[in-house]
Amino acid sequence: MHALAPSPAPRASILLVDDHPGNLLALEAVLEPLNQRLVRACSGEEALRCLLDEPFAVILLDVQMPGLDGFQTAELIKKRERTRHIPIVFLTAIAREEANILAGYTAGAVDYLVKPFEPQILRTKVAVFIDLYLEAHRHRADEPRAAQQLQVITDTLPALVAYIDAEERYRFCNVAYRDWFGNVPEAILGRTVRERLGEDGYAVAGPFIRRALAGEAVRYDLPLQTRAGAPLHLEPHFIPDIDAQGRVRGFVSLAIDVTARKQAEDRTSQLQSAAASLSRALTPEDVARRVLDQAMAWMEATAGAVYLQQPEGILRSIYDVGYPESYVAPMRECRESDELPASDAFRSREPRFFTSGDAVAARYVPLTERRTASGLGAAAALPLLVDERAIGTLVLSFNAARTLSREDRGVLVALAQLCAQALERARLFRDAEEAVRLRDEFLSIASHELKTPLTPLQLKLQGLRREAGLERHFETAEDQVRKLSTLINSLLDVSRLSSGQLRLQQEDGVDLAALVSDVVALIAPQAAKAGVTLALEIRAPVVGRFDRMRVEQVVHNLLSNALKYGAGHPVTVRVESRGALGVLSIRDQGIGIPPDALGRIFGKFERAVSERHYGGLGLGLYITRQLVEAMGGTVQAESVVDRGSTFRVELPRV
Ligand code: ADP
């Protein structure tokens, strides 16, 4: 890397021209105290040569010289573009005549000194020219330094920087850029981009270069490989350099190495796709399989296992792949306290990384022999943590020694986190499924058990009523038993539906209208008791292939609800046919259903009213929908709170 050197105090050069070495010595002695660079020339010719080599602040020129004399020399100096502005002071020992002096001035002298001159005066005059010169050149003297600074600054940048002119030639590049092309400045500066990049490279960069030279700032992605074959991802930016007249002089090419960022992005998207894949896994085994597939593919691992905590300090492999059976079999079940990678990471809740098989064997005594036999090398064991609590371990093994990079380790830790969460979700899902299964099983048993004493009780009541003649009392008792039996039948229906035991008995030539009016007639006393008017709107028979019992059940459920939630207002039942459909609608003017509940009331145990005001199991609509759908139909509800609800059932007639 460059370091900035302190810039030396600026010095000017003075050209002393005289054919007498003694005079030159005398001049040097006089000018020495000015501390500038003094250059001697013994003739006009030599003076001209010196002027080719470097710029001078002032020329002290003897007039009388053999060869080119002072005036001739001055004339030549004034002819040359590069030297014509250099002030000339003539020195002469003779002729104080006007004419001579005039000739000197005509030849371009700015001053004219006659020997012997006063040292002090000469020094003062020369000092003035030096000041003028240094002042004029101060800015120009800064130029190389500015270039040097630019170089130093750009060399420190973690980017490839170059300046390319309008002819697509490199004019500047930093060390990173040079390194990229083998660190030979001559191989870059002055060359064209096309020469440097080759036809293939130019085919990619060319369109962007042309856009930059048209004045547009451009940026693009450039995936490459380093000479060693490692991935290298550059992001070149071309920033046009536009002059005051709006002309593009060239552009700055700034290529940033975004390999690390790209790799991080890749890792993030890999983890995202892993998360998406894991969210589809419902069982712990499925989670483990997906995690190992991902981890092994990313890390090029040979084998892997996912262990889950079991009761009583046991860790069990729920899925493993790639291990020799003889190696893994004794370890599929281990104890949390064992000296094995899976147990160690589990206990410590810290990831364990081993760069070689030897390192693994040295750390875990029980593996010392088996490791060697298995031919396995490096290994990683990561705890699966949920809320800081270990629920298992993810183990990966490699077939050779391997040092995982910091990034790779980070990815594995993140993947282990995803794995732990997915396993926890799968466990909760499994628990929930189990709970539902237990509930359904309980329902089935409970409803059968409840039903058993009910039928004899009903018969007994009927017998007693006849015997005792206590009609009124028994009627209430029987009514209660009927309600109880309806509830129990619902429960039985639900458990039949859950276990897929519903059998339909469809018959041809059934009139849906007649069927519905039968149910209405049956329920009429109940409606009358509740003070509800039932209006039946039927214009014509609606004949089709229906399951009588199931349709009756559907109508009964919906009518009971209309009475129950109808707030005592009239209920209208309508049956009609529409094309191949039989359509039944039951409309009440009761309490209605809030919009957010409409979607769920057809679910098992779902209710939209408080238990304190309305009794019920929340099963009627669930059974209704299951039955209607089993018959190939649909049921829908429309409702406005406090205005009433309409339930519409559509059943195919054939
Ligand atoms: P249950 O009546 O035993 O609660 P249902 O499955 O028959 O169960 O009904 C589910 C819920 O839908 C009821 O709790 C009630 O909130 C609502 N509901 C059903 N029918 C009506 C209706 N006609 N008017 C207002 N709400 C109703």
Side-chain angles (χ1 to χ4, degrees), residues 561 564-565 588 592-593 601 606-609 616-618 620-621 645:
N561 279 351
K564 185 164 154 191
Y565 302 111
D588 67 59
I593 304 160
I601 49 171
E606 290 290 355
R607 312 197 66 220
V609 285
L617 295 175
L621 287 183
S645 315

Side-chain angles (χ1 to χ4, degrees), residues 554 557-558 619-629 635:
V554 165
N557 281 351
L558 295 177
L619 290 174
L621 287 183
Y622 168 73
I623 294 170
T624 299
R625 181 153 85 174
Q626 298 294 317
L627 295 179
V628 168
E629 288 180 355
V635 54

